Amino acid sequence: ETGVTQTPRHLVMGMTNKKSLKCEQHLGHNAMYWYKQSAKKPLELMFVYSLEERVENNSVPSRFSPECPNSSHLFLHLHTLQPEDSALYLCASSQDAGGLGNTIYFGEGSWLTVV
Amino acid sequence: DAKTTQPPSMDCAEGRAANLPCNHSTISGNEYVYWYRQIHSQGPQYIIHGLKNNETNEMASLIITEDRKSSTLILPHATLRDTAVYYCIVRVVGLSSGYSTLTFGKGTMLLVSP
């Protein structure tokens, strides 16, 4: 248990569907992150939120829409995805987004399959 | 791009120490070295991190050379459950955002055998 919980763990969606991934952290952290891990590729940073404000958007297509309503929750809204978007989506959090010595903790991930 | 170099794979016998090397010759003075591992189909698990001094916790030890250009992660008594991909990461501040994140490379696949 890392204190970062992701739901659902597995999701299958069609290319015309709209779905959302949810992340909740119980660590009192102020920064949250979305990462993507495609098959046989390194983890890629998608978004960074600090105190509910998006501070990094790593050239992610608009079909991925993040939302951070408060410092404990982070969503990734998905719409009109492509099969190549199938991947493991990982949420993470840290005390803040600036400190190099602040550990980033990951959730277990949400496996997404786009059909 | 990742600022570290790791061997793609290593083997270790169960019960023996696993020593995983990492080169980070371009590391800057305020940048930390982090180690994570990822067991198949799971999220990365934090292991340990350090700046200059050697560090030890309940999972592992981190040995950083005096010039900080390389480090070694030591699992003192490897078990079968330590089989995973191990990532050595130099945590940097993003040029565009000013915020620090983790950039993952390909890591080292450690296989612990009976």
Side-chain angles (χ1 to χ4, degrees), chain A residues 70-89:
Chain A
N70 54 63
S71 58
S72 298
H73 294 86
L74 185 65
F75 295 88
L76 188 63
H77 303 301
L78 316 168
H79 61 97
T80 60
L81 295 191
Q82 303 299 312
E84 57 264 30
D85 296 320
S86 299
L88 177 65
Y89 289 85

Side-chain angles (χ1 to χ4, degrees), chain A residues 33 35 37 42-43 45 48 50 55-56 90 97-104 106-108 111, chain B residues 30 32 34 36 38 41-44 46 49 87 91-93 96-97 99-102 104-105:
Chain A
Y33 311 78
Y35 279 81
Q37 188 173 32
L43 280 81
L45 178 67
V48 180
S50 176
V55 297
E56 181 90 26
L90 292 154
L100 292 173
N102 294 328
T103 301
I104 295 177
F106 287 83
E108 289 300 322
W111 281 99
Chain B
N30 65 339
Y32 283 74
Y34 279 78
Y36 284 79
Q38 188 175 24
S41 301
Q42 298 182 17
Y46 165 75
H49 72 281
Y87 298 99
R91 188 165 177 186
V92 302
V93 175
S96 59
S97 68
Y99 290 88
S100 66
T101 58
L102 298 170
F104 286 79

Side-chain angles (χ1 to χ4, degrees), chain A:
Chain A
E1 290 293 329
T2 63
V4 181
T5 303
Q6 291 188 242
T7 55
R9 290 297 314 279
H10 299 271
L11 177 64
V12 179
M13 61 183 289
M15 289 188 285
T16 58
N17 291 159
K18 291 184 180 180
K19 297 286 185 181
S20 297
L21 304 180
K22 178 183 176 181
C23 177
E24 183 175 3
Q25 57 95 359
H26 309 276
L27 301 169
H29 289 165
N30 293 315
M32 297 187 77
Y33 311 78
W34 280 115
Y35 279 81
K36 173 185 178 182
Q37 188 173 32
S38 303
K40 299 183 179 180
K41 286 186 178 180
L43 280 81
E44 302 171 82
L45 178 67
M46 299 177 73
F47 301 104
V48 180
Y49 275 83
S50 176
L51 295 170
E52 301 142 44
E53 178 185 351
R54 190 188 314 176
V55 297
E56 181 90 26
N57 178 346
N58 204 21
S59 303
V60 179
S62 59
R63 58 185 183 270
F64 296 91
S65 177
E67 178 190 4
C68 188
N70 54 63
S71 58
S72 298
H73 294 86
L74 185 65
F75 295 88
L76 188 63
H77 303 301
L78 316 168
H79 61 97
T80 60
L81 295 191
Q82 303 299 312
E84 57 264 30
D85 296 320
S86 299
L88 177 65
Y89 289 85
L90 292 154
C91 175
S93 74
S94 65
Q95 183 59 50
D96 62 60
L100 292 173
N102 294 328
T103 301
I104 295 177
Y105 295 96
F106 287 83
E108 289 300 322
S110 293
W111 281 99
L112 173 67
T113 302
V114 181
V115 297

